[in-house]
Amino acid sequence: MQRLDKLLSEAGVASRRELKAIIRAGRVQVNGKTVRDPEQKVDETADEIMLDGAVVGKKRMVLLMLHKPAGYVTSTDDPRDQTVMELIPEEYRRLGVVPIGRLDKDTEGLLLLTNDGAVNHNLLSPRRHVWKLYYASHEGLAGEADMAAFEAGITLENGETCLPAKLHPLGSGRSLIAIREGKYHQVRRMMAARGMPVTYLKRVAFGGLTLGELPLGAVKEVALETVQSPPCDIAQAGSRCFFP
């Protein structure tokens, strides 16, 4: 059981403030009876809820892909910085979407958001090891020894060891990096451990999704089933991506 206004808000009908006025105006019926109390308890699995004569279903589960610009923090609220939620249309914010994992403030690229707790958990679960692919501009030139070190598992400056990863040089100062975990500033720290400090970082793929030509700052809804964790063919995935 939950409050009527909360249920309708989670269904994406309107904001909680707007819903109070809608309900008090007599526009909502529960099991055929007009209800004017926003706090009335209802059972979404048993009660029929209608707004202006149309049945209101359960909360719609969505998965969003955001092309995150640099300068935004991956948080739902921050007292100092702009957050990625400021880029999300109101219709999706009303559905309660939250970021899946995070991208650093200075990192651009593919960030997923959802209101489906199971999807969020599955994509972040250490047991699933979902691959993430990054494009990096960096100092130095990556070579075979660096690729082998990534395959073996990079040891960071603090002694922490990363899972085996993939490094694919694109030429002087440019590389693709694929990882399957999410340690703090992991890609930057891995590259620094090999003497190649990162100057620009962009995530271009997450599981089976690639950023493609989605404009910077734009949001696109994608099917929940499109995120998978296939073996990472870094060259093939990279061929579907667009780099600066």
Side-chain angles (χ1 to χ4, degrees):
M1 302 286 284
Q2 63 177 311
R3 286 171 49 140
L4 177 59
D5 59 348
K6 184 174 186 296
L7 184 147
L8 291 174
S9 175
E10 290 180 350
V13 172
S15 69
R16 291 278 285 273
R17 176 178 295 180
E18 292 169 332
L19 283 165
K20 290 183 187 299
I22 289 172
I23 295 168
R24 287 169 179 155
R27 295 170 56 189
V28 176
Q29 295 79 40
V30 177
N31 298 326
K33 296 181 179 180
T34 298
V35 174
R36 297 179 184 273
D37 180 4
E39 299 184 14
Q40 176 166 322
K41 299 292 185 180
V42 292
D43 183 345
E44 65 177 306
T45 63
D47 294 330
E48 182 185 66
I49 302 167
M50 304 182 74
L51 170 64
D52 295 335
V55 175
V56 178
K58 296 181 181 179
K59 178 170 66 173
R60 184 166 71 93
M61 297 301 177
V62 296
L63 177 65
L64 305 179
M65 182 165 61
L66 166 68
H67 188 166
K68 176 191 171 299
Y72 289 80
V73 296
T74 306
S75 173
T76 56
D77 183 61
D78 191 283
R80 295 167 298 182
D81 293 307
Q82 293 177 299
T83 76
V84 294
M85 299 307 296
E86 295 176 39
L87 300 170
I88 306 301
E90 173 65 23
E91 64 179 292
Y92 293 119
R93 294 203 302 273
R94 287 203 302 263
L95 291 174
V97 298
V98 295
I100 298 175
R102 61 178 56 245
L103 286 178
D104 303 334
K105 179 179 178 180
D106 295 329
T107 299
E108 294 183 0
L110 194 162
L111 179 68
L112 296 176
L113 301 95
T114 188
N115 58 351
D116 189 320
V119 169
N120 198 332
H121 172 75
N122 288 339
L123 291 177
L124 294 179
S125 172
R127 294 179 299 170
R128 293 185 177 268
H129 299 314
V130 179
W131 285 99
K132 279 83 69 175
L133 179 64
Y134 294 79
Y135 166 84
S137 297
H138 55 83
E139 297 179 16
L141 174 65
E144 291 186 4
D146 301 302
M147 296 169 66
F150 269 67
E151 288 280 1
I154 291 285
T155 298
L156 303 176
E157 189 178 74
N158 65 353
E160 190 175 11
T161 301
C162 299
L163 290 175
K166 298 177 184 291
L167 174 66
H168 183 75
L170 297 173
S172 181
R174 301 168 65 243
S175 296
L176 290 175
I177 301 104
I179 62 173
R180 50 195 173 117
E181 52 188 338
K183 291 181 170 63
Y184 178 72
H185 287 182
Q186 183 172 341
V187 172
R188 296 178 186 274
R189 294 164 69 199
M190 292 170 74
M191 294 295 284
R194 297 299 301 173
M196 296 180 288
V198 169
T199 56
Y200 171 83
L201 189 61
K202 178 178 184 177
R203 184 156 72 191
V204 293
F206 191 127
L209 287 170
T210 55
L211 189 61
E213 296 180 309
L214 185 68
L216 188 66
V219 174
K220 179 172 73 172
E221 184 173 346
V222 294
L224 289 166
E225 62 269 18
T226 55
V227 182
Q228 306 163 4
S229 183
C232 186
D233 183 330
I234 191 169
Q236 182 181 20
S239 70
R240 302 196 303 270
C241 302
F242 297 81
F243 310 124

